[in-house]
Amino acid sequence: MPRHLHPSRKTFSRFASRHAFQFGLPNVSTALIQQSDDSPVYFTRVNSLLRQQVLGTAKGVNIKSDAFRFQVLPRAKWADTDFSRNSVLFLVPDDALGDCVGMTLFLKALRLRYPSIRIGVLNSGAASDIFALVPDIEIYQLFISAKQLARFDHVIDLSEMEGWKDIATMPVNPEEALCEAFDIPLSPLPPRKVGAGPEMRIGIVPMASSPLRTLPIDLVCKITTFLDQKNTRITIVLNAYQGVMKAYKAALGDFESENVRMIDGFKTIGDLVNFVSEQDYMVVADSGPAHITKLFQTPGLGIYSSASANILQGRHQNLQSWQSDFVGPHCAAPCGLAKVRATADGKIGCMGSLNLSAAELGQLPQKSDPALAIAMVTDHPVPCVVQLHQQAPDILEKLKTDLNLS
């Protein structure tokens, strides 16, 4: 092993299979399905769906180790390495859409800096369709074979980026952080352009993966009604993969207008990406689709509560931003939390909802509470989300100005 390499942070399962196999996630485009290639061994993350639900009971599969670590290029070497005419495999830390959009934008900048570089990503998971927007990229959703691995000159573990271990609770901007870490310039951005007019297509995506960031129902109704009156074509996109979706949808109710349609979500992330690319304007919560707009510079309005709009949007100005300005005795928005937290005695919420200081909150909840989750996105939102409801008149005025609607 070269002296400058060291083991990856995450462990992988090393396995062999006597039979040919293929695997693809249900929410990823079928064009990205992976197939075996008669390699002697294959590698997958220990906690991946493939390892947890398939390999343990698959006939002809032999798990050789659950403690394999790739030998990776250390963080200190990223900026000093010339990747011209090199092939680089990036280990993706997680498949959260916003994080993977940032990594995709970084990879596009890396391709501009090194036009002849060959890029692969491993463990791209549900975000595989996002990475597929990088030309000529090799995508390994959940596993890679020994033959495929041997074709790469370098393996880089992106979880070594500063701040990644805290990204679930304290958001960072992967695009800018990674470009800085590799000492490469950011890719150029076109100027913001809003093509306002009658029958323009407007997508509204109000749900996020956390109650701290999902938009209040009354606000969504007011925005939809306002835009409907302006003869726009509105699509409200929910998230069928979230357990609170049905309750949120029921609380929204029906919009009796031919201009408004509501869909439960998309089968694949690729379908969502295509939808965002086709819209003239987006109104989004602090969620994956808000980040996806960066890929196409789709104009719109991003509405933020607990997390900082400035950090999450970074240099991208395609979205106008609105930040909750809640101030309470124990916190002020944006507090930096991306997800709810739990106390030692099992109470779940945030500083504002529990009337506790940040020091009195522990880690992420270890078990789900469906009833509480539903309540937090319908009847009892956290204070910084309630504040968005109270700011509705000003938010509508901002929309009116941005879209040049009389």
Side-chain angles (χ1 to χ4, degrees), residues 25 52 69 88 133-134 220 228 242 289 320-321 327 358 384 389:
L25 292 170
Q52 292 178 329
R69 296 178 188 268
V88 184
L133 296 173
V134 180
V220 177
D228 178 31
Q242 292 183 12
Q320 295 278 347
S321 64
V327 176
C384 62
H389 163 65

Side-chain angles (χ1 to χ4, degrees), residues 1 14 41 52 80 84 95 109 114 116 135 162 187 214 226 236 246 272 276 298 300 353 356 381:
M1 179 186 74
R14 183 173 174 267
V41 290
Q52 292 178 329
D80 299 331
S84 300
D95 61 356
Y114 301 106
S116 59
E162 295 84 352
S187 58
T214 294
F226 169 75
I236 301 175
K246 290 183 179 180
L272 172 60
V276 173
T298 306
S353 63
L356 297 172

Side-chain angles (χ1 to χ4, degrees), residues 168-185:
T169 55
M170 190 66 66
V172 299
N173 187 318
E175 177 196 12
E176 296 181 24
L178 285 170
C179 284
E180 181 178 353
F182 281 78
D183 193 24
I184 62 173

Side-chain angles (χ1 to χ4, degrees), residues 221-271:
C221 291
K222 289 178 179 179
I223 289 174
T224 303
T225 300
F226 169 75
L227 293 173
D228 178 31
Q229 293 171 347
K230 304 303 179 182
N231 197 32
T232 60
R233 299 294 179 258
I234 305 160
T235 304
I236 301 175
V237 180
L238 304 179
N239 190 336
Y241 290 98
Q242 292 183 12
V244 300
M245 188 277 288
K246 290 183 179 180
Y248 192 87
K249 181 179 181 180
L252 278 175
D254 295 324
F255 295 93
E256 297 180 357
S257 170
E258 293 182 356
N259 290 337
V260 182
R261 67 168 179 149
M262 188 184 305
I263 60 177
D264 292 348
F266 296 101
K267 181 179 179 180
T268 71
I269 301 301
D271 293 335

